[in-house]
């Protein structure tokens, strides 16, 4: 067995880079196209799986190269079919991804991470408690999808940047990954959602990218006082400025945005909060997702509201938002720590 650490990682090279590398290693150039197709179209992660290569060629490639830098540390499967993955990067950092299946549709949605830790430090979020550690490269972002497709022998249809990290604080890598996901893996921007806590300058920049992604805003409170606490980035960019940037995004892209609102008992689930949320969204081309807090961490100080409260809250939001679509998101992976950062945090020392 070759020493893994000496093998060159070819995941993330574009076709011409791979061809140049093969030529430099005295491997026929046309092999690069074969290998490239296996990696991205068929999500293969070992040369042994490339059945149109001879055993000799497979052995030669395996002695020089490896495909990807992630290794799987843990895979959990929820009773509802949600799967959660904990990966280790080559530098030992841990990163999470989640695969969600919905009984009412065929599509599979992967929730992926863009950073290790997060500087925004939302108090209810496990990733936030870690603080910011590092940005993922675009390759490390894409590899989460490729790894899942290889492991589960399926194709992911939709991607949401709602895992660990604030994607717009890792702007260049996230945009590159979004473009590459289309050209390499075949998942177009229309099937990708970027969820932000409200990095106003980057929302404005994203509007200029000519990308058909869905933009989601994690609002969580429609009033500055409450939002300063729940989403501390709000102390920098207040709600009025944030909502103006969301309206600009809609105007520029002609795309409906999504407002995400995690429901926390006693904090942001009152009738007044529902009315404030409805009024704030009334003039925005959006739909509203209410997400009851995922209470799979029994020691969390935060709690999910009762079903009655969730129902009444959603009714008020609909009424005051001039009839916007309000969806109470089905909780996925309730039993496997599927909320962002929860699995990773159980490995922290
Ligand atoms: S909820 Fe999102 S933005 Fe807030 S700390 Fe967690 S990862 Fe960061």
């Amino acid at each position: 067995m070759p020493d893994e650490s000496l093998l060159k990682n070819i995941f993330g090279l574009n076709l011409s880079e791979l061809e140049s590398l093969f030529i430099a290693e005295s491997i026929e150039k046309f092999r690069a196209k074969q290998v490239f197709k296996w990696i991205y179209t068929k999500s293969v992660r070992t040369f042994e799986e490339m059945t149109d290569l001879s055993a000799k060629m497979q052995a030669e490639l395996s002695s020089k190269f490896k495909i990807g830098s992630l290794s799987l540390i843990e895979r959990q499967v929820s009773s509802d079919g949600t799967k959660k993955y904990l990966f280790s990067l080559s530098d030992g950092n841990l990163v999470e991804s989640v695969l969600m299946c919905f009984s009412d549709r065929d599509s599979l949605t992967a929730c992926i991470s863009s950073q290790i830790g997060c500087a925004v430090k939302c108090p209810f979020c496990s990733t936030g408690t870690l603080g910011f550690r590092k940005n993922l490269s675009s390759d490390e972002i894409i590899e989460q999808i490729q790894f899942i497709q290889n492991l589960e022998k399926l194709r992911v249809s939709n991607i949401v940047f709602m895992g660990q990290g604030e994607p717009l604080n890792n702007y260049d890598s996230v945009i590159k990954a979004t473009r590459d996901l289309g050209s390499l893996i075949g998942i177009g921007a229309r099937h990708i959602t970027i969820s932000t806590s409200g990095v106003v300058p980057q929302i404005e920049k994203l509007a200029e990218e000519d990308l058909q992604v869905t933009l989601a805003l994690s609002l969580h409170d429609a009033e500055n006082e409450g939002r300063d606490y729940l989403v501390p980035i709000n102390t920098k960019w207040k709600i009025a400025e944030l909502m103006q940037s969301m309206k600009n995004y809609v105007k520029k892209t002609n795309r409906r945005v999504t407002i995400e609102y995690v429901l926390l008992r006693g904090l942001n689930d009152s009738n007044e909060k529902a009315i404030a949320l409805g009024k704030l969204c009334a003039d925005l081309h959006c739909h509203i997702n209410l997400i009851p807090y995922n209470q799979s961490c029994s020691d969390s100080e935060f709690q999910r509201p009762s079903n009655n409260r969730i129902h009444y809250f959603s009714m008020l939001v609909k009424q005051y938002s001039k009839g916007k679509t309000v969806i109470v998101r089905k909780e996925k992976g309730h039993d496997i720590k599927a909320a962002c950062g929860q699995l990773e945090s159980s490995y922290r020392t």
Side-chain angles (χ1 to χ4, degrees):
M1 280 286 284
D3 181 349
E4 267 272 318
S5 63
L6 299 177
L7 299 178
K8 179 160 178 51
N9 179 15
I10 60 170
F11 190 87
L13 297 183
N14 64 35
L15 182 57
S16 63
E17 288 167 338
L18 194 60
E19 285 173 343
S20 304
L21 179 65
F22 277 22
I23 291 166
E25 293 284 343
S26 307
I27 300 165
E28 299 117 305
K29 185 180 166 190
F30 78 93
R31 296 287 182 201
K33 205 173 242 170
Q34 274 178 299
V35 168
F36 194 80
K37 196 169 167 196
W38 278 108
I39 294 174
Y40 296 107
T41 311
K42 302 192 175 169
S43 297
V44 151
R45 293 184 61 81
T46 64
F47 296 104
E48 288 73 29
E49 294 167 89
M50 300 182 183
T51 49
D52 56 357
L53 300 181
S54 67
K56 191 168 164 239
M57 178 55 63
Q58 290 173 356
E60 181 178 354
L61 293 171
S62 302
S63 70
K64 293 178 172 163
F65 309 121
K66 63 179 177 180
I67 302 164
S69 60
L70 299 188
S71 46
L72 185 68
I73 301 294
E74 187 172 338
R75 172 181 177 269
Q76 293 185 346
V77 182
S78 164
S79 53
D80 67 12
T82 301
K83 298 179 181 70
K84 180 140 193 172
Y85 312 89
L86 185 68
F87 297 114
S88 170
L89 304 180
S90 51
D91 61 9
N93 273 306
L94 300 178
V95 68
E96 293 178 359
S97 316
V98 177
L99 182 67
M100 296 171 281
C101 348
F102 298 90
S103 53
D104 54 343
R105 29 190 149 129
D106 291 335
S107 60
L108 288 168
T109 299
C111 173
I112 57 174
S113 296
S114 55
Q115 296 184 310
I116 304 291
C118 181
V120 180
K121 296 188 178 170
C122 305
F124 56 87
C125 165
S126 189
T127 303
T129 62
L130 183 65
F132 173 70
R133 290 223 176 141
K134 73 163 219 169
N135 283 328
L136 296 186
S137 68
S138 61
D139 297 340
E140 288 166 335
I141 292 170
I142 295 173
E143 200 186 327
Q144 295 169 60
I145 309 295
Q146 199 257 9
F147 202 120
I148 292 170
Q149 293 196 151
N150 172 274
L151 191 67
E152 308 295 350
K153 304 291 174 244
L154 46 74
R155 306 261 335 145
V156 168
S157 32
N158 298 297
I159 291 169
V160 291
F161 280 92
M162 288 185 189
Q164 294 166 280
E166 163 52 65
L168 296 187
N169 277 348
N170 184 15
Y171 189 86
D172 291 345
S173 294
V174 167
I175 297 302
K176 182 173 186 322
T178 299
R179 294 193 194 284
D180 287 351
L181 278 164
S183 58
L184 297 178
I185 308 273
I187 303 172
R190 281 183 175 275
H191 298 276
I192 297 175
T193 298
I194 295 179
S195 175
T196 181
S197 58
V199 189
V200 168
Q202 306 299 59
I203 293 173
E204 302 283 3
K205 200 170 163 188
L206 185 64
E208 304 294 331
E209 292 286 350
D210 196 22
L211 268 175
Q212 291 291 301
V213 291
T214 298
L215 180 62
L217 170 65
S218 299
L219 187 67
H220 306 332
D221 201 308
E223 295 169 320
N224 281 317
E225 199 183 331
R227 194 167 194 267
D228 281 351
Y229 169 63
L230 286 179
V231 192
I233 203 169
N234 196 72
T235 56
K236 195 162 184 184
W237 292 291
K238 294 292 183 189
I239 289 174
E241 191 183 0
L242 175 58
M243 294 309 278
Q244 190 53 52
S245 74
M246 294 300 285
K247 284 178 185 164
N248 292 348
Y249 185 88
V250 170
K251 196 168 167 201
K252 190 84 198 173
T253 62
N254 225 0
R255 288 185 66 75
R256 184 171 64 174
V257 293
T258 303
I259 298 297
E260 309 274 355
Y261 193 101
V262 67
L263 278 164
L264 300 157
R265 183 187 295 179
L267 274 174
N268 64 357
D269 65 340
S270 65
N271 292 350
E272 293 73 28
K273 292 286 183 188
I275 292 167
L277 174 62
K279 285 182 174 172
L280 189 70
C281 295
D283 296 325
L284 180 68
H285 183 41
C286 68
H287 63 227
I288 301 159
N289 282 343
L290 302 177
I291 310 152
Y293 178 65
N294 181 329
Q295 216 167 345
S296 48
C297 273
S298 53
D299 55 348
S300 171
E301 62 185 283
F302 298 98
Q303 291 182 327
R304 175 191 191 282
S306 67
N307 286 343
N308 281 349
R309 179 93 296 263
I310 293 167
H311 178 71
Y312 197 68
F313 189 96
S314 80
M315 220 184 62
L316 282 175
V317 175
K318 190 166 182 65
Q319 185 184 339
Y320 281 86
S321 63
K322 299 185 191 159
K324 292 275 179 316
T325 303
V326 180
I327 298 163
V328 178
R329 187 105 59 75
K330 282 184 195 144
E331 291 157 87
K332 307 294 287 178
H334 204 65
D335 48 339
I336 58 162
K337 299 188 174 189
C340 147
Q342 287 181 341
L343 179 58
E344 182 276 334
S345 70
S346 61
Y347 276 77
R348 275 180 221 160
T349 49

